[in-house]
Amino acid sequence: MQPIQPAPAVSQPSVVIATSTPATMSAPVPVPITCADTPTVSQLVSKPQTGVVDEDGINLEEIREFAKNFKIRRLSLGLTQTQVGQALTATEGPAYSQSAICRFEKLDITPKSAQKLKPVLEKWLNEAELRNQEGQQNLMEFVGGEPSKKRKRRTSFTPQAIEALNAYFEKNALPTGQEITEIAKELNYDREVVRVWFCNRRQTLKNTSKLNVFQIP
DNA sequence: GGTATGCAAATAAGG
DNA sequence: GCCTTATTTGCATAC
């Protein structure tokens, strides 16, 4: 079919934050170049100057408390993050992965996300504890439900597909609808998936070149 | 084998 | 419908 090309040399969007300074200069500020990075709950909560309530009126202290408790209660039920994630995907409400549970427990998420996730976890955990009281078997039934779900599963492109997409991108970063349809057909991916790929690719390209502007020569 | 995390796919919102 | 920009979230894999 198609011989795999050596490498299009499309430099990966590695976020290089230039901190390497000539030995003499001692930088008092850690790393000020963060383009619009929304801070996580844990970052905010560990900052004494910010109160317990953030700009959007989210009670960070309450979330921190709940997250801590959630973990304790989850472990008491003998459940893993993976199990909780799977169970959440089964019950109604949004689906979440093990990563999401992990990030919530660590508060490695924005206050907004935490605020959204908290009631979902709260409700689920209460239900799980109730089931557990009725017997271990009951809990396991509750945990192991059917998949189904809202958010589209993340597509994993094959290395060959990425290579091909990058090749198209280098020729034309903004393909027309018709072109997208053809590329999708050619590579055998959903048209929408391909369209979003181009959007994301343009975005990362733009962001990385923005970052480069700040790099010390 | 459970948890943490980097990268990037998917989504939200505004135009 | 499609774009951009900002953000959320999950797969894959390192720890």
Side-chain angles (χ1 to χ4, degrees), chain A residues 127-194:
Chain A
E127 179 79 22
E129 282 174 338
L130 215 68
R131 301 285 182 123
N132 190 45
Q133 281 168 19
E134 293 162 14
Q136 176 105 347
Q137 190 57 36
N138 229 302
L139 173 67
M140 291 339 262
E141 267 171 39
F142 178 61
V143 170
E146 288 298 290
S148 86
K149 235 16 172 235
K150 281 173 183 173
R151 193 181 172 98
K152 187 186 181 307
R153 286 188 73 99
R154 188 190 167 106
T155 304
S156 290
F157 292 104
T158 63
Q160 290 84 353
I162 302 239
E163 206 168 312
L165 285 165
N166 274 318
Y168 281 120
F169 186 85
E170 282 204 27
K171 280 190 279 181
N172 181 11
L174 192 56
T176 64
Q178 180 60 37
E179 285 166 336
I180 289 172
T181 303
E182 280 160 21
I183 294 168
K185 200 172 165 192
E186 169 73 31
L187 300 179
N188 212 279
Y189 282 95
D190 217 57
R191 198 196 107 98
E192 180 61 11
V193 164
V194 172

Side-chain angles (χ1 to χ4, degrees), chain A residues 43-73:
Chain A
Q43 282 170 342
L44 290 169
V45 113
S46 63
K47 252 190 218 159
Q49 64 264 45
T50 33
V52 287
V53 174
D54 88 335
E55 328 68 82
D56 301 317
I58 296 171
N59 191 334
L60 300 172
E61 196 54 44
E62 187 187 305
I63 288 176
R64 193 176 65 85
E65 194 63 22
F66 175 77
K68 199 172 81 184
N69 259 297
F70 178 85
K71 185 169 186 175
I72 293 168
R73 290 163 70 190

Side-chain angles (χ1 to χ4, degrees), chain A residues 2-211:
Chain A
Q2 239 190 351
I4 292 145
Q5 310 297 329
V10 175
S11 55
Q12 278 300 327
S14 49
V15 184
V16 181
I17 302 161
T19 42
S20 50
T21 41
T24 45
M25 191 191 149
S26 56
V29 190
V31 173
I33 307 163
T34 37
C35 279
D37 250 335
T38 27
T40 65
V41 177
S42 66
Q43 282 170 342
L44 290 169
V45 113
S46 63
K47 252 190 218 159
Q49 64 264 45
T50 33
V52 287
V53 174
D54 88 335
E55 328 68 82
D56 301 317
I58 296 171
N59 191 334
L60 300 172
E61 196 54 44
E62 187 187 305
I63 288 176
R64 193 176 65 85
E65 194 63 22
F66 175 77
K68 199 172 81 184
N69 259 297
F70 178 85
K71 185 169 186 175
I72 293 168
R73 290 163 70 190
R74 171 178 69 79
L75 291 171
S76 323
L77 286 171
L79 298 176
T80 65
Q81 294 175 347
T82 306
Q83 284 176 310
V84 175
Q86 279 172 354
L88 280 172
T89 307
T91 50
E92 77 270 47
Y96 290 103
S97 65
Q98 175 264 327
S99 312
I101 307 306
C102 177
R103 284 177 176 135
F104 182 84
E105 287 183 353
K106 287 195 68 198
L107 296 176
D108 189 17
I109 46 174
T110 62
K112 210 174 144 193
S113 299
Q115 182 81 331
K116 199 172 104 188
L117 185 47
K118 181 173 171 276
V120 176
L121 293 180
E122 200 157 27
K123 185 178 170 226
W124 183 86
L125 189 64
N126 285 334
E127 179 79 22
E129 282 174 338
L130 215 68
R131 301 285 182 123
N132 190 45
Q133 281 168 19
E134 293 162 14
Q136 176 105 347
Q137 190 57 36
N138 229 302
L139 173 67
M140 291 339 262
E141 267 171 39
F142 178 61
V143 170
E146 288 298 290
S148 86
K149 235 16 172 235
K150 281 173 183 173
R151 193 181 172 98
K152 187 186 181 307
R153 286 188 73 99
R154 188 190 167 106
T155 304
S156 290
F157 292 104
T158 63
Q160 290 84 353
I162 302 239
E163 206 168 312
L165 285 165
N166 274 318
Y168 281 120
F169 186 85
E170 282 204 27
K171 280 190 279 181
N172 181 11
L174 192 56
T176 64
Q178 180 60 37
E179 285 166 336
I180 289 172
T181 303
E182 280 160 21
I183 294 168
K185 200 172 165 192
E186 169 73 31
L187 300 179
N188 212 279
Y189 282 95
D190 217 57
R191 198 196 107 98
E192 180 61 11
V193 164
V194 172
R195 190 186 68 78
V196 169
W197 184 89
F198 274 90
C199 287
N200 283 325
R201 188 71 183 76
R202 286 193 292 270
Q203 184 168 38
T204 41
L205 183 68
K206 187 169 269 184
N207 288 344
T208 49
S209 40
K210 244 188 224 165
L211 253 181

